[in-house]
Amino acid sequence: MSVIGVGQAVILGVVEGVTEFLPVSSTGHLKMTEGLMNIPVDDKAVVGFTAVIQTGAIAAVFVYFFSDIKRFVGAWFKGLADKRERDNHDYKFTWWVIYATIPIVVVGLAAKPLIDGALASLWVVAFSLIGGSVVMWCAEQMARFKRGEDQVTFKDAMIVGCSQILALLFPGFSRSGATISTALIRDLDRVAATRLSFFLGLPALTGAGLYELKDATSGGVGVPALAVGTAVSFVIAYASIAWLLKFVAKHSFNSFVIYRIVVGILLIGLLTTDTIGS
């Protein structure tokens, strides 16, 4: 019998799609939702399910940014074939995304027992939500918004890529929150920071989903639940991406900071009163 039903998969797919790219922590929200539905958050199959349905959200990025990705990949292959093409910023940017993914892969594999174990606690989620909010607020204060996407450097990509490790180790911190905040501190404007966050997430999250697929299917989550959760995640994430890019063009991230703090405090209250299991 599947540890996650199809109806629960729909709910979790909606949560994943809405929160994956907003700086509010999709992992944190998924764990809270699982806890409220009495799904064991530290179950290996559940952790795998969470990673797999993220691929639906990632697929939405591939579709939404298809023209950009096609341009990057085209420039990359041209550069591989002709060294005269290697000064193209798109060629270099594609390599930077690859290089910037290596740190999170290394840490993810090395720290997997800890990530799936002690760090999977909802207490970690609660305090990471609040701690990440402080980082986001500070980033907004420090940001100068001086540079656009065409001015992203190798150093930017590596520093922002490494910041993904915070979300990996501390669910609740938010991968998009960490990357966008770091990019803002590097003086990128909000749209450039957000787009960089999307592109850096493509290889890391796709790889994580494929890697966890075996645990999700062999550990007690049925294929129907996986398929439904992933499909729902794709549809909702596509709409979320479109909304976020329009939002950041005219607004700061302070509303997300307030929301995260409220959710973090609420979660602490639920955990303290044993309304939800840790």
Side-chain angles (χ1 to χ4, degrees):
M1 184 175 179
S2 178
V3 70
I4 296 176
V6 172
Q8 293 172 318
V10 171
I11 295 172
L12 293 173
V14 170
V15 172
E16 164 62 22
V18 170
T19 61
E20 179 59 54
F21 301 112
L22 301 187
V24 297
S25 175
S26 62
T27 302
H29 279 74
L30 284 168
K31 287 183 180 295
M32 285 188 287
T33 306
E34 289 162 357
L36 290 170
M37 293 192 294
N38 294 317
I39 297 172
V41 298
D42 57 351
D43 185 290
K44 193 174 183 180
V46 175
V47 174
F49 172 86
T50 299
V52 170
I53 66 171
Q54 285 178 333
T55 60
I58 288 298
V61 176
F62 277 106
V63 174
Y64 191 92
F65 292 106
F66 179 76
S67 60
D68 292 291
I69 294 170
K70 181 180 178 181
R71 189 181 78 246
F72 292 142
V73 173
W76 188 67
F77 277 111
K78 285 181 180 178
L80 290 178
D82 186 350
K83 63 181 181 181
R84 291 173 299 180
E85 298 288 338
R86 294 175 188 174
D87 286 333
N88 187 317
H89 187 268
D90 289 341
Y91 169 80
K92 292 186 285 187
F93 182 80
T94 305
W95 271 120
W96 298 343
V97 170
I98 295 171
Y99 294 146
T101 302
I102 294 173
I104 192 173
V105 172
V106 172
V107 174
L109 292 174
K112 192 174 189 303
L114 188 61
I115 294 167
D116 294 345
L119 293 177
S121 167
L122 285 175
W123 282 104
V124 175
V125 171
F127 286 107
S128 295
L129 277 166
I130 297 171
S133 299
V134 174
V135 173
M136 288 177 62
W137 183 84
C138 290
E140 277 284 348
Q141 309 314 305
M142 297 170 64
R144 296 296 178 267
F145 315 112
K146 294 190 299 186
R147 296 188 291 136
E149 186 176 336
D150 59 342
Q151 295 173 296
V152 170
T153 66
F154 172 69
K155 186 175 182 179
D156 293 327
M158 290 303 298
I159 293 174
V160 175
C162 286
S163 72
Q164 296 178 108
I165 295 172
L166 287 170
L168 180 68
L169 297 178
F170 305 105
F173 203 98
S174 170
R175 190 202 65 82
S176 57
T179 52
I180 291 172
S181 295
T182 304
L184 291 179
I185 292 172
R186 295 288 301 166
D187 287 336
L188 295 181
D189 63 48
R190 292 192 185 95
V191 173
T194 303
R195 283 172 57 88
L196 179 60
S197 175
F198 282 129
F199 296 135
L200 285 173
L202 286 174
L205 294 178
T206 301
L210 295 175
Y211 181 80
E212 296 285 0
L213 180 60
K214 64 182 187 304
D215 290 338
T217 54
S218 65
V221 178
V223 173
L226 276 171
V228 169
T230 303
V232 171
S233 170
F234 169 81
V235 174
I236 302 299
Y238 189 91
S240 180
I241 292 168
W243 178 85
L244 180 61
L245 287 172
K246 290 179 181 178
F247 179 86
V248 299
K250 298 180 180 179
H251 302 86
S252 75
F253 289 100
N254 289 336
S255 55
F256 293 114
V257 171
I258 296 170
Y259 171 79
R260 289 169 56 102
I261 292 174
V262 170
V263 173
I265 293 173
L266 176 61
L267 181 54
I268 290 174
L270 291 172
L271 289 168
T272 303
T273 58
D274 290 326
T275 304
I276 184 173
S278 61

